[in-house]
Amino acid sequence: MISASLPPNESERLKSLHEHNLLDTLPEEVYDDITRLAAEICGTPFAAINLIAEDRQWSKSAHHQEGESLGLHHYLRVPREYSFCAHAILNPDETMVVPDARYDERFSNNPLTVNDPCIKFYAGVPIKDAEGRAFGSLCVLDSRPRELPEHKLESLKALAKLVNTHFQLRRTKIELEKTQQQVDATQPVLRDMMSAIDALRTNAEGGTANRLTSLQEGITSLETIFKVPHE
Protein backbone atom coordinates (compact mmCIF):
# COMPACT_ATOMS: atom_id res chain seq x y z
CA MET A 1 0.00 0.00 0.00
CA ILE A 2 1.18 3.51 -0.80
CA SER A 3 -0.47 6.36 1.10
CA ALA A 4 -1.17 9.50 -0.90
CA SER A 5 1.17 12.45 -0.57
CA LEU A 6 -0.19 15.86 0.39
CA PRO A 7 -1.31 18.23 -2.37
CA PRO A 8 0.99 21.24 -2.84
CA ASN A 9 -1.87 23.56 -1.82
CA GLU A 10 -2.81 21.52 1.26
CA SER A 11 -3.07 24.43 3.73
CA GLU A 12 -5.25 26.52 1.41
CA ARG A 13 -7.32 23.44 0.52
CA LEU A 14 -8.05 22.63 4.16
CA LYS A 15 -8.84 26.26 4.98
CA SER A 16 -11.37 26.40 2.15
CA LEU A 17 -12.85 23.02 3.13
CA HIS A 18 -13.49 24.24 6.68
CA GLU A 19 -14.91 27.54 5.42
CA HIS A 20 -17.53 25.61 3.42
CA ASN A 21 -18.78 24.01 6.67
CA LEU A 22 -19.21 20.55 5.15
CA LEU A 23 -17.42 18.24 7.58
CA ASP A 24 -19.51 16.40 10.19
CA THR A 25 -22.76 17.93 8.98
CA LEU A 26 -26.12 16.20 8.69
CA PRO A 27 -27.19 14.42 5.48
CA GLU A 28 -28.60 16.69 2.76
CA GLU A 29 -31.08 15.53 0.15
CA VAL A 30 -29.32 17.19 -2.78
CA TYR A 31 -26.09 15.26 -2.17
CA ASP A 32 -27.92 12.00 -1.46
CA ASP A 33 -29.77 12.38 -4.77
CA ILE A 34 -26.46 12.84 -6.58
CA THR A 35 -24.84 9.72 -5.11
CA ARG A 36 -27.97 7.68 -5.85
CA LEU A 37 -27.89 8.83 -9.48
CA ALA A 38 -24.16 8.10 -9.72
CA ALA A 39 -24.65 4.52 -8.54
CA GLU A 40 -27.62 3.97 -10.85
CA ILE A 41 -25.89 5.43 -13.92
CA CYS A 42 -22.64 3.54 -13.35
CA GLY A 43 -24.31 0.34 -12.18
CA THR A 44 -22.25 0.06 -9.01
CA PRO A 45 -23.39 -0.99 -5.52
CA PHE A 46 -21.81 2.09 -3.94
CA ALA A 47 -21.42 5.78 -4.64
CA ALA A 48 -20.15 8.43 -2.26
CA ILE A 49 -19.17 12.04 -1.88
CA ASN A 50 -16.01 11.79 0.20
CA LEU A 51 -14.15 14.71 1.75
CA ILE A 52 -10.49 14.55 2.73
CA ALA A 53 -9.78 16.31 6.03
CA GLU A 54 -6.45 16.60 7.86
CA ASP A 55 -6.20 12.97 8.91
CA ARG A 56 -9.39 11.26 7.75
CA GLN A 57 -11.85 10.69 4.97
CA TRP A 58 -15.43 11.61 5.78
CA SER A 59 -18.48 10.84 3.61
CA LYS A 60 -20.87 13.73 3.10
CA SER A 61 -23.17 11.29 1.30
CA ALA A 62 -22.98 7.56 0.61
CA HIS A 63 -25.45 5.48 -1.35
CA HIS A 64 -25.73 1.72 -0.98
CA GLN A 65 -27.73 -0.16 -3.60
CA GLU A 66 -30.40 -2.24 -1.92
CA GLY A 67 -29.56 -5.92 -1.69
CA GLU A 68 -25.79 -5.48 -1.99
CA SER A 69 -23.51 -6.89 0.70
CA LEU A 70 -20.62 -4.42 0.44
CA GLY A 71 -20.06 -3.09 3.96
CA LEU A 72 -20.93 0.59 3.79
CA HIS A 73 -20.45 1.19 7.51
CA HIS A 74 -16.74 0.34 7.12
CA TYR A 75 -16.30 3.07 4.53
CA LEU A 76 -17.96 6.16 5.98
CA ARG A 77 -15.06 7.20 8.21
CA VAL A 78 -11.57 5.91 7.46
CA PRO A 79 -8.05 7.16 8.13
CA ARG A 80 -6.71 9.36 5.36
CA GLU A 81 -3.81 6.95 4.77
CA TYR A 82 -6.30 4.30 3.52
CA SER A 83 -8.36 6.65 1.36
CA PHE A 84 -8.60 6.11 -2.38
CA CYS A 85 -9.95 9.66 -2.69
CA ALA A 86 -6.80 11.04 -1.06
CA HIS A 87 -5.03 9.89 -4.21
CA ALA A 88 -7.75 11.31 -6.48
CA ILE A 89 -7.36 14.88 -5.17
CA LEU A 90 -3.70 14.96 -6.24
CA ASN A 91 -4.91 15.49 -9.83
CA PRO A 92 -7.93 17.79 -9.46
CA ASP A 93 -8.70 17.89 -13.19
CA GLU A 94 -8.56 14.16 -13.83
CA THR A 95 -10.86 11.22 -13.12
CA MET A 96 -9.08 8.45 -11.23
CA VAL A 97 -10.08 4.93 -12.28
CA VAL A 98 -8.85 1.78 -10.55
CA PRO A 99 -10.17 -1.27 -12.46
CA ASP A 100 -8.82 -3.79 -9.94
CA ALA A 101 -7.26 -2.55 -6.72
CA ARG A 102 -5.59 -5.92 -6.06
CA TYR A 103 -3.16 -5.19 -8.88
CA ASP A 104 -2.54 -1.52 -8.11
CA GLU A 105 0.50 -1.01 -5.86
CA ARG A 106 -1.21 1.90 -4.15
CA PHE A 107 -4.08 -0.26 -2.91
CA SER A 108 -3.11 -3.94 -3.24
CA ASN A 109 -2.78 -4.51 0.53
CA ASN A 110 -4.99 -1.61 1.63
CA PRO A 111 -7.31 -2.70 4.48
CA LEU A 112 -10.27 -1.43 2.43
CA THR A 113 -9.21 -3.77 -0.37
CA VAL A 114 -8.32 -6.94 1.54
CA ASN A 115 -10.99 -6.58 4.25
CA ASP A 116 -14.61 -5.42 4.34
CA PRO A 117 -15.76 -3.53 2.23
CA CYS A 118 -13.34 -5.35 -0.16
CA ILE A 119 -13.08 -2.54 -2.70
CA LYS A 120 -11.79 -3.75 -6.05
CA PHE A 121 -13.15 -1.13 -8.44
CA TYR A 122 -13.01 2.64 -7.89
CA ALA A 123 -13.74 5.60 -10.12
CA GLY A 124 -13.59 9.09 -8.61
CA VAL A 125 -14.01 12.59 -10.03
CA PRO A 126 -12.46 15.32 -7.83
CA ILE A 127 -14.97 17.76 -6.34
CA LYS A 128 -13.66 21.28 -5.95
CA ASP A 129 -14.22 24.80 -4.68
CA ALA A 130 -14.51 27.82 -6.97
CA GLU A 131 -10.71 28.18 -7.07
CA GLY A 132 -10.19 24.58 -8.18
CA ARG A 133 -8.95 23.17 -4.87
CA ALA A 134 -10.05 19.54 -4.55
CA PHE A 135 -11.96 18.65 -1.37
CA GLY A 136 -12.44 14.98 -2.19
CA SER A 137 -14.30 13.10 -4.88
CA LEU A 138 -17.63 11.87 -6.16
CA CYS A 139 -16.85 8.21 -6.54
CA VAL A 140 -18.42 4.88 -7.42
CA LEU A 141 -17.16 1.57 -6.03
CA ASP A 142 -17.62 -2.14 -6.40
CA SER A 143 -16.39 -5.30 -4.67
CA ARG A 144 -15.55 -6.83 -8.05
CA PRO A 145 -13.19 -5.63 -10.79
CA ARG A 146 -14.77 -3.76 -13.68
CA GLU A 147 -14.44 -1.09 -16.33
CA LEU A 148 -16.72 1.86 -17.03
CA PRO A 149 -17.51 2.94 -20.59
CA GLU A 150 -16.60 6.50 -21.49
CA HIS A 151 -20.21 7.75 -21.57
CA LYS A 152 -20.71 6.66 -17.96
CA LEU A 153 -17.51 8.38 -16.88
CA GLU A 154 -18.73 11.53 -18.62
CA SER A 155 -22.00 11.29 -16.68
CA LEU A 156 -20.04 10.94 -13.45
CA LYS A 157 -18.07 14.08 -14.35
CA ALA A 158 -21.33 15.96 -14.99
CA LEU A 159 -22.64 14.97 -11.55
CA ALA A 160 -19.35 16.09 -9.97
CA LYS A 161 -19.78 19.51 -11.61
CA LEU A 162 -23.22 19.69 -10.00
CA VAL A 163 -21.63 18.99 -6.61
CA ASN A 164 -19.12 21.78 -7.27
CA THR A 165 -21.96 24.20 -8.06
CA HIS A 166 -23.72 23.36 -4.80
CA PHE A 167 -20.46 23.85 -2.91
CA GLN A 168 -20.12 27.32 -4.42
CA LEU A 169 -23.72 28.19 -3.53
CA ARG A 170 -23.09 26.95 -0.01
CA ARG A 171 -20.03 29.18 0.37
CA THR A 172 -21.92 32.20 -1.01
CA LYS A 173 -24.74 31.61 1.46
CA ILE A 174 -22.29 31.38 4.36
CA GLU A 175 -20.59 34.62 3.30
CA LEU A 176 -23.93 36.43 2.96
CA GLU A 177 -25.00 35.26 6.42
CA LYS A 178 -21.68 36.44 7.87
CA THR A 179 -22.07 39.85 6.22
CA GLN A 180 -25.61 40.16 7.56
CA GLN A 181 -24.37 39.37 11.08
CA GLN A 182 -21.72 42.07 10.73
CA VAL A 183 -24.31 44.59 9.53
CA ASP A 184 -26.60 43.70 12.45
CA ALA A 185 -23.72 44.12 14.89
CA THR A 186 -22.94 47.62 13.60
CA GLN A 187 -26.41 49.01 14.23
CA PRO A 188 -26.09 49.83 17.97
CA VAL A 189 -22.52 51.12 17.41
CA LEU A 190 -23.68 53.46 14.65
CA ARG A 191 -26.56 54.70 16.80
CA ASP A 192 -24.13 55.58 19.61
CA MET A 193 -21.81 57.32 17.14
CA MET A 194 -24.68 59.36 15.71
CA SER A 195 -25.68 60.41 19.22
CA ALA A 196 -22.12 61.56 19.88
CA ILE A 197 -22.04 63.49 16.58
CA ASP A 198 -25.38 65.16 17.39
CA ALA A 199 -24.04 66.12 20.80
CA LEU A 200 -20.94 67.68 19.24
CA ARG A 201 -23.08 69.67 16.85
CA THR A 202 -25.24 71.04 19.63
CA ASN A 203 -22.34 71.41 22.08
CA ALA A 204 -24.30 69.32 24.54
CA GLU A 205 -23.34 69.15 28.19
CA GLY A 206 -20.58 66.66 28.91
CA GLY A 207 -17.82 68.24 26.91
CA THR A 208 -16.31 67.78 23.52
CA ALA A 209 -13.57 65.45 24.79
CA ASN A 210 -16.10 62.90 26.05
CA ARG A 211 -17.96 62.92 22.71
CA LEU A 212 -14.75 62.47 20.76
CA THR A 213 -13.87 59.53 23.01
CA SER A 214 -17.27 57.97 22.23
CA LEU A 215 -16.63 58.38 18.52
CA GLN A 216 -13.18 56.77 18.81
CA GLU A 217 -14.67 53.84 20.72
CA GLY A 218 -17.30 53.46 17.99
CA ILE A 219 -14.65 53.40 15.27
CA THR A 220 -12.68 50.76 17.20
CA SER A 221 -15.82 48.64 17.55
CA LEU A 222 -16.50 48.81 13.81
CA GLU A 223 -12.90 47.85 13.04
CA THR A 224 -13.28 44.83 15.31
CA ILE A 225 -16.55 43.75 13.70
CA PHE A 226 -15.14 43.97 10.20
CA LYS A 227 -11.62 42.88 11.25
CA VAL A 228 -9.93 45.93 9.73
CA PRO A 229 -6.13 45.46 9.84
CA HIS A 230 -3.95 48.15 11.43
CA GLU A 231 -0.77 49.30 9.76
Side-chain angles (χ1 to χ4, degrees):
M1 185 186 82
I2 301 175
S3 298
S5 59
L6 297 179
N9 62 346
E10 178 68 357
S11 59
E12 294 86 357
R13 188 191 72 82
L14 289 173
K15 181 175 183 292
S16 181
L17 175 60
H18 288 292
E19 288 173 348
H20 280 72
N21 191 30
L22 288 158
L23 292 171
D24 302 315
T25 53
L26 293 173
E28 296 179 58
E29 185 177 1
V30 62
Y31 300 117
D32 291 343
D33 286 345
I34 290 172
T35 52
R36 176 180 56 80
L37 283 171
E40 290 177 357
I41 290 170
C42 296
T44 58
F46 266 126
I49 294 173
N50 292 327
L51 305 173
I52 304 302
E54 286 88 343
D55 58 358
R56 61 181 172 130
Q57 170 185 285
W58 182 78
S59 297
K60 175 58 182 171
S61 174
H63 179 76
H64 181 196
Q65 292 281 26
E66 192 172 342
E68 293 289 345
S69 59
L70 197 58
L72 179 61
H73 62 286
H74 290 284
Y75 188 69
L76 296 180
R77 293 172 178 81
V78 300
R80 182 170 178 170
E81 62 188 292
Y82 300 160
S83 171
F84 284 51
C85 296
H87 289 268
I89 66 172
L90 298 178
N91 297 290
D93 299 320
E94 299 179 13
T95 300
M96 189 178 90
V97 180
V98 182
D100 192 337
R102 295 173 297 179
Y103 302 103
D104 188 310
E105 64 177 351
R106 296 171 296 179
F107 312 113
S108 57
N109 61 343
N110 188 310
L112 298 176
T113 301
V114 299
N115 301 316
D116 203 14
C118 299
I119 298 170
K120 303 298 185 296
F121 169 78
Y122 171 96
V125 181
I127 47 179
K128 302 174 284 189
D129 66 8
E131 288 74 33
R133 294 177 285 241
F135 290 164
S137 82
L138 169 63
C139 60
V140 292
L141 310 100
D142 203 336
S143 58
R144 62 182 179 86
R146 63 187 303 158
E147 297 276 359
L148 279 185
E150 188 62 30
H151 72 276
K152 290 189 176 182
L153 288 174
E154 289 299 321
S155 296
L156 192 62
K157 292 177 186 178
L159 290 174
K161 288 181 180 178
L162 183 58
V163 175
N164 296 344
T165 298
H166 279 281
F167 282 177
Q168 293 169 25
L169 291 172
R170 184 187 195 94
R171 177 65 183 273
T172 299
K173 181 174 181 290
I174 290 171
E175 290 176 346
L176 288 173
E177 289 174 347
K178 180 181 178 181
T179 299
Q180 184 60 55
Q181 291 172 356
Q182 290 175 326
V183 169
D184 292 343
T186 65
Q187 299 308 307
V189 177
L190 291 173
R191 283 195 294 269
D192 289 345
M193 292 177 70
M194 290 304 299
S195 296
I197 291 171
D198 288 341
L200 283 171
R201 286 173 176 169
T202 58
N203 197 25
E205 186 177 352
T208 299
N210 289 338
R211 302 304 175 186
L212 290 174
T213 298
S214 296
L215 283 173
Q216 184 59 51
E217 290 173 349
I219 292 171
T220 301
S221 296
L222 291 176
E223 289 175 341
T224 300
I225 291 170
F226 288 99
K227 296 182 171 59
V228 177
H230 291 277
E231 295 182 358

mmCIF file with all atom_site columns, all heavy atoms in Angstrom, residues 7-8 10 23 77 101 108 114 120 132 138 146 202 206 208 210 229:
data_model
loop_
_atom_site.group_PDB
_atom_site.id
_atom_site.type_symbol
_atom_site.label_atom_id
_atom_site.label_alt_id
_atom_site.label_comp_id
_atom_site.label_asym_id
_atom_site.label_entity_id
_atom_site.label_seq_id
_atom_site.pdbx_PDB_ins_code
_atom_site.Cartn_x
_atom_site.Cartn_y
_atom_site.Cartn_z
_atom_site.occupancy
_atom_site.B_iso_or_equiv
_atom_site.pdbx_formal_charge
_atom_site.auth_seq_id
_atom_site.auth_comp_id
_atom_site.auth_asym_id
_atom_site.auth_atom_id
_atom_site.pdbx_PDB_model_num
ATOM 1   N N   . PRO A 1 7   ? -1.306  17.299 -1.240  1.00 0.00 ? 7   PRO A N   1
ATOM 2   C CA  . PRO A 1 7   ? -1.311  18.228 -2.373  1.00 0.00 ? 7   PRO A CA  1
ATOM 3   C C   . PRO A 1 7   ? -0.429  19.440 -2.068  1.00 0.00 ? 7   PRO A C   1
ATOM 4   O O   . PRO A 1 7   ? -0.273  19.825 -0.901  1.00 0.00 ? 7   PRO A O   1
ATOM 5   C CB  . PRO A 1 7   ? -2.787  18.644 -2.489  1.00 0.00 ? 7   PRO A CB  1
ATOM 6   C CG  . PRO A 1 7   ? -3.552  17.592 -1.769  1.00 0.00 ? 7   PRO A CG  1
ATOM 7   C CD  . PRO A 1 7   ? -2.652  17.104 -0.674  1.00 0.00 ? 7   PRO A CD  1
ATOM 8   N N   . PRO A 1 8   ? 0.131   20.075 -3.078  1.00 0.00 ? 8   PRO A N   1
ATOM 9   C CA  . PRO A 1 8   ? 0.994   21.239 -2.838  1.00 0.00 ? 8   PRO A CA  1
ATOM 10  C C   . PRO A 1 8   ? 0.252   22.415 -2.210  1.00 0.00 ? 8   PRO A C   1
ATOM 11  O O   . PRO A 1 8   ? 0.879   23.270 -1.584  1.00 0.00 ? 8   PRO A O   1
ATOM 12  C CB  . PRO A 1 8   ? 1.516   21.587 -4.238  1.00 0.00 ? 8   PRO A CB  1
ATOM 13  C CG  . PRO A 1 8   ? 0.565   20.932 -5.192  1.00 0.00 ? 8   PRO A CG  1
ATOM 14  C CD  . PRO A 1 8   ? 0.075   19.707 -4.507  1.00 0.00 ? 8   PRO A CD  1
ATOM 15  N N   . GLU A 1 10  ? -2.077  22.158 0.171   1.00 0.00 ? 10  GLU A N   1
ATOM 16  C CA  . GLU A 1 10  ? -2.812  21.523 1.261   1.00 0.00 ? 10  GLU A CA  1
ATOM 17  C C   . GLU A 1 10  ? -3.369  22.517 2.276   1.00 0.00 ? 10  GLU A C   1
ATOM 18  O O   . GLU A 1 10  ? -4.527  22.415 2.702   1.00 0.00 ? 10  GLU A O   1
ATOM 19  C CB  . GLU A 1 10  ? -1.926  20.499 1.964   1.00 0.00 ? 10  GLU A CB  1
ATOM 20  C CG  . GLU A 1 10  ? -2.565  19.787 3.153   1.00 0.00 ? 10  GLU A CG  1
ATOM 21  C CD  . GLU A 1 10  ? -3.702  18.849 2.781   1.00 0.00 ? 10  GLU A CD  1
ATOM 22  O OE1 . GLU A 1 10  ? -4.054  18.775 1.585   1.00 0.00 ? 10  GLU A OE1 1
ATOM 23  O OE2 . GLU A 1 10  ? -4.255  18.209 3.687   1.00 0.00 ? 10  GLU A OE2 1
ATOM 24  N N   . LEU A 1 23  ? -17.812 19.375 6.760   1.00 0.00 ? 23  LEU A N   1
ATOM 25  C CA  . LEU A 1 23  ? -17.421 18.241 7.583   1.00 0.00 ? 23  LEU A CA  1
ATOM 26  C C   . LEU A 1 23  ? -18.365 18.045 8.765   1.00 0.00 ? 23  LEU A C   1
ATOM 27  O O   . LEU A 1 23  ? -18.777 19.009 9.425   1.00 0.00 ? 23  LEU A O   1
ATOM 28  C CB  . LEU A 1 23  ? -15.994 18.432 8.102   1.00 0.00 ? 23  LEU A CB  1
ATOM 29  C CG  . LEU A 1 23  ? -14.875 18.372 7.057   1.00 0.00 ? 23  LEU A CG  1
ATOM 30  C CD1 . LEU A 1 23  ? -13.555 18.792 7.686   1.00 0.00 ? 23  LEU A CD1 1
ATOM 31  C CD2 . LEU A 1 23  ? -14.772 16.991 6.447   1.00 0.00 ? 23  LEU A CD2 1
ATOM 32  N N   . ARG A 1 77  ? -16.113 6.452  7.519   1.00 0.00 ? 77  ARG A N   1
ATOM 33  C CA  . ARG A 1 77  ? -15.057 7.203  8.208   1.00 0.00 ? 77  ARG A CA  1
ATOM 34  C C   . ARG A 1 77  ? -13.810 6.331  8.249   1.00 0.00 ? 77  ARG A C   1
ATOM 35  O O   . ARG A 1 77  ? -13.779 5.336  8.985   1.00 0.00 ? 77  ARG A O   1
ATOM 36  C CB  . ARG A 1 77  ? -15.490 7.586  9.631   1.00 0.00 ? 77  ARG A CB  1
ATOM 37  C CG  . ARG A 1 77  ? -16.640 8.584  9.667   1.00 0.00 ? 77  ARG A CG  1
ATOM 38  C CD  . ARG A 1 77  ? -17.155 8.765  11.107  1.00 0.00 ? 77  ARG A CD  1
ATOM 39  N NE  . ARG A 1 77  ? -18.221 9.740  11.186  1.00 0.00 ? 77  ARG A NE  1
ATOM 40  C CZ  . ARG A 1 77  ? -19.489 9.479  10.896  1.00 0.00 ? 77  ARG A CZ  1
ATOM 41  N NH1 . ARG A 1 77  ? -19.839 8.279  10.500  1.00 0.00 ? 77  ARG A NH1 1
ATOM 42  N NH2 . ARG A 1 77  ? -20.408 10.419 11.012  1.00 0.00 ? 77  ARG A NH2 1
ATOM 43  N N   . ALA A 1 101 ? -8.183  -3.050 -7.738  1.00 0.00 ? 101 ALA A N   1
ATOM 44  C CA  . ALA A 1 101 ? -7.262  -2.547 -6.716  1.00 0.00 ? 101 ALA A CA  1
ATOM 45  C C   . ALA A 1 101 ? -6.249  -3.587 -6.271  1.00 0.00 ? 101 ALA A C   1
ATOM 46  O O   . ALA A 1 101 ? -5.177  -3.240 -5.759  1.00 0.00 ? 101 ALA A O   1
ATOM 47  C CB  . ALA A 1 101 ? -8.059  -2.052 -5.509  1.00 0.00 ? 101 ALA A CB  1
ATOM 48  N N   . SER A 1 108 ? -3.068  -2.473 -3.217  1.00 0.00 ? 108 SER A N   1
ATOM 49  C CA  . SER A 1 108 ? -3.107  -3.938 -3.236  1.00 0.00 ? 108 SER A CA  1
ATOM 50  C C   . SER A 1 108 ? -3.256  -4.553 -1.847  1.00 0.00 ? 108 SER A C   1
ATOM 51  O O   . SER A 1 108 ? -3.965  -5.547 -1.676  1.00 0.00 ? 108 SER A O   1
ATOM 52  C CB  . SER A 1 108 ? -1.852  -4.486 -3.922  1.00 0.00 ? 108 SER A CB  1
ATOM 53  O OG  . SER A 1 108 ? -0.687  -4.015 -3.268  1.00 0.00 ? 108 SER A OG  1
ATOM 54  N N   . VAL A 1 114 ? -8.439  -5.535 1.103   1.00 0.00 ? 114 VAL A N   1
ATOM 55  C CA  . VAL A 1 114 ? -8.324  -6.935 1.543   1.00 0.00 ? 114 VAL A CA  1
ATOM 56  C C   . VAL A 1 114 ? -9.376  -7.315 2.576   1.00 0.00 ? 114 VAL A C   1
ATOM 57  O O   . VAL A 1 114 ? -9.648  -8.509 2.770   1.00 0.00 ? 114 VAL A O   1
ATOM 58  C CB  . VAL A 1 114 ? -6.905  -7.206 2.087   1.00 0.00 ? 114 VAL A CB  1
ATOM 59  C CG1 . VAL A 1 114 ? -5.872  -6.974 1.010   1.00 0.00 ? 114 VAL A CG1 1
ATOM 60  C CG2 . VAL A 1 114 ? -6.601  -6.338 3.305   1.00 0.00 ? 114 VAL A CG2 1
ATOM 61  N N   . LYS A 1 120 ? -12.628 -3.355 -4.915  1.00 0.00 ? 120 LYS A N   1
ATOM 62  C CA  . LYS A 1 120 ? -11.792 -3.747 -6.052  1.00 0.00 ? 120 LYS A CA  1
ATOM 63  C C   . LYS A 1 120 ? -11.816 -2.660 -7.124  1.00 0.00 ? 120 LYS A C   1
ATOM 64  O O   . LYS A 1 120 ? -10.783 -2.315 -7.679  1.00 0.00 ? 120 LYS A O   1
ATOM 65  C CB  . LYS A 1 120 ? -12.276 -5.078 -6.648  1.00 0.00 ? 120 LYS A CB  1
ATOM 66  C CG  . LYS A 1 120 ? -12.330 -6.231 -5.659  1.00 0.00 ? 120 LYS A CG  1
ATOM 67  C CD  . LYS A 1 120 ? -10.963 -6.562 -5.098  1.00 0.00 ? 120 LYS A CD  1
ATOM 68  C CE  . LYS A 1 120 ? -11.015 -7.801 -4.214  1.00 0.00 ? 120 LYS A CE  1
ATOM 69  N NZ  . LYS A 1 120 ? -11.832 -7.639 -3.007  1.00 0.00 ? 120 LYS A NZ  1
ATOM 70  N N   . GLY A 1 132 ? -10.761 25.813 -7.648  1.00 0.00 ? 132 GLY A N   1
ATOM 71  C CA  . GLY A 1 132 ? -10.195 24.584 -8.182  1.00 0.00 ? 132 GLY A CA  1
ATOM 72  C C   . GLY A 1 132 ? -9.469  23.714 -7.183  1.00 0.00 ? 132 GLY A C   1
ATOM 73  O O   . GLY A 1 132 ? -8.789  22.759 -7.567  1.00 0.00 ? 132 GLY A O   1
ATOM 74  N N   . LEU A 1 138 ? -16.396 12.629 -5.937  1.00 0.00 ? 138 LEU A N   1
ATOM 75  C CA  . LEU A 1 138 ? -17.630 11.871 -6.156  1.00 0.00 ? 138 LEU A CA  1
ATOM 76  C C   . LEU A 1 138 ? -17.164 10.565 -6.772  1.00 0.00 ? 138 LEU A C   1
ATOM 77  O O   . LEU A 1 138 ? -16.562 10.570 -7.852  1.00 0.00 ? 138 LEU A O   1
ATOM 78  C CB  . LEU A 1 138 ? -18.566 12.621 -7.097  1.00 0.00 ? 138 LEU A CB  1
ATOM 79  C CG  . LEU A 1 138 ? -19.768 11.804 -7.607  1.00 0.00 ? 138 LEU A CG  1
ATOM 80  C CD1 . LEU A 1 138 ? -20.688 11.393 -6.472  1.00 0.00 ? 138 LEU A CD1 1
ATOM 81  C CD2 . LEU A 1 138 ? -20.535 12.601 -8.669  1.00 0.00 ? 138 LEU A CD2 1
ATOM 82  N N   . ARG A 1 146 ? -13.914 -4.139 -12.558 1.00 0.00 ? 146 ARG A N   1
ATOM 83  C CA  . ARG A 1 146 ? -14.775 -3.757 -13.678 1.00 0.00 ? 146 ARG A CA  1
ATOM 84  C C   . ARG A 1 146 ? -14.162 -2.588 -14.439 1.00 0.00 ? 146 ARG A C   1
ATOM 85  O O   . ARG A 1 146 ? -13.180 -2.003 -14.021 1.00 0.00 ? 146 ARG A O   1
ATOM 86  C CB  . ARG A 1 146 ? -16.192 -3.422 -13.201 1.00 0.00 ? 146 ARG A CB  1
ATOM 87  C CG  . ARG A 1 146 ? -16.249 -2.210 -12.265 1.00 0.00 ? 146 ARG A CG  1
ATOM 88  C CD  . ARG A 1 146 ? -17.641 -2.035 -11.682 1.00 0.00 ? 146 ARG A CD  1
ATOM 89  N NE  . ARG A 1 146 ? -18.624 -1.911 -12.744 1.00 0.00 ? 146 ARG A NE  1
ATOM 90  C CZ  . ARG A 1 146 ? -19.920 -2.166 -12.581 1.00 0.00 ? 146 ARG A CZ  1
ATOM 91  N NH1 . ARG A 1 146 ? -20.375 -2.564 -11.408 1.00 0.00 ? 146 ARG A NH1 1
ATOM 92  N NH2 . ARG A 1 146 ? -20.766 -1.999 -13.573 1.00 0.00 ? 146 ARG A NH2 1
ATOM 93  N N   . THR A 1 202 ? -24.448 70.156 18.768  1.00 0.00 ? 202 THR A N   1
ATOM 94  C CA  . THR A 1 202 ? -25.244 71.038 19.630  1.00 0.00 ? 202 THR A CA  1
ATOM 95  C C   . THR A 1 202 ? -24.474 71.505 20.857  1.00 0.00 ? 202 THR A C   1
ATOM 96  O O   . THR A 1 202 ? -25.017 72.199 21.709  1.00 0.00 ? 202 THR A O   1
ATOM 97  C CB  . THR A 1 202 ? -26.515 70.310 20.088  1.00 0.00 ? 202 THR A CB  1
ATOM 98  O OG1 . THR A 1 202 ? -26.147 69.106 20.788  1.00 0.00 ? 202 THR A OG1 1
ATOM 99  C CG2 . THR A 1 202 ? -27.382 69.948 18.895  1.00 0.00 ? 202 THR A CG2 1
ATOM 100 N N   . GLY A 1 206 ? -21.398 67.864 28.811  1.00 0.00 ? 206 GLY A N   1
ATOM 101 C CA  . GLY A 1 206 ? -20.581 66.660 28.905  1.00 0.00 ? 206 GLY A CA  1
ATOM 102 C C   . GLY A 1 206 ? -19.217 66.879 28.293  1.00 0.00 ? 206 GLY A C   1
ATOM 103 O O   . GLY A 1 206 ? -18.280 66.145 28.539  1.00 0.00 ? 206 GLY A O   1
ATOM 104 N N   . THR A 1 208 ? -16.713 68.301 24.819  1.00 0.00 ? 208 THR A N   1
ATOM 105 C CA  . THR A 1 208 ? -16.305 67.784 23.515  1.00 0.00 ? 208 THR A CA  1
ATOM 106 C C   . THR A 1 208 ? -15.398 66.570 23.662  1.00 0.00 ? 208 THR A C   1
ATOM 107 O O   . THR A 1 208 ? -15.499 65.619 22.893  1.00 0.00 ? 208 THR A O   1
ATOM 108 C CB  . THR A 1 208 ? -15.561 68.883 22.738  1.00 0.00 ? 208 THR A CB  1
ATOM 109 O OG1 . THR A 1 208 ? -16.444 69.981 22.541  1.00 0.00 ? 208 THR A OG1 1
ATOM 110 C CG2 . THR A 1 208 ? -15.094 68.357 21.388  1.00 0.00 ? 208 THR A CG2 1
ATOM 111 N N   . ASN A 1 210 ? -15.352 64.132 25.803  1.00 0.00 ? 210 ASN A N   1
ATOM 112 C CA  . ASN A 1 210 ? -16.101 62.897 26.049  1.00 0.00 ? 210 ASN A CA  1
ATOM 113 C C   . ASN A 1 210 ? -16.763 62.391 24.772  1.00 0.00 ? 210 ASN A C   1
ATOM 114 O O   . ASN A 1 210 ? -16.808 61.182 24.508  1.00 0.00 ? 210 ASN A O   1
ATOM 115 C CB  . ASN A 1 210 ? -17.157 63.109 27.131  1.00 0.00 ? 210 ASN A CB  1
ATOM 116 C CG  . ASN A 1 210 ? -16.529 63.282 28.499  1.00 0.00 ? 210 ASN A CG  1
ATOM 117 O OD1 . ASN A 1 210 ? -15.392 62.856 28.718  1.00 0.00 ? 210 ASN A OD1 1
ATOM 118 N ND2 . ASN A 1 210 ? -17.275 63.895 29.413  1.00 0.00 ? 210 ASN A ND2 1
ATOM 119 N N   . PRO A 1 229 ? -7.525  45.544 9.377   1.00 0.00 ? 229 PRO A N   1
ATOM 120 C CA  . PRO A 1 229 ? -6.129  45.456 9.844   1.00 0.00 ? 229 PRO A CA  1
ATOM 121 C C   . PRO A 1 229 ? -5.538  46.826 10.123  1.00 0.00 ? 229 PRO A C   1
ATOM 122 O O   . PRO A 1 229 ? -5.870  47.818 9.479   1.00 0.00 ? 229 PRO A O   1
ATOM 123 C CB  . PRO A 1 229 ? -5.396  44.789 8.660   1.00 0.00 ? 229 PRO A CB  1
ATOM 124 C CG  . PRO A 1 229 ? -6.222  45.173 7.462   1.00 0.00 ? 229 PRO A CG  1
ATOM 125 C CD  . PRO A 1 229 ? -7.651  45.241 7.937   1.00 0.00 ? 229 PRO A CD  1
#
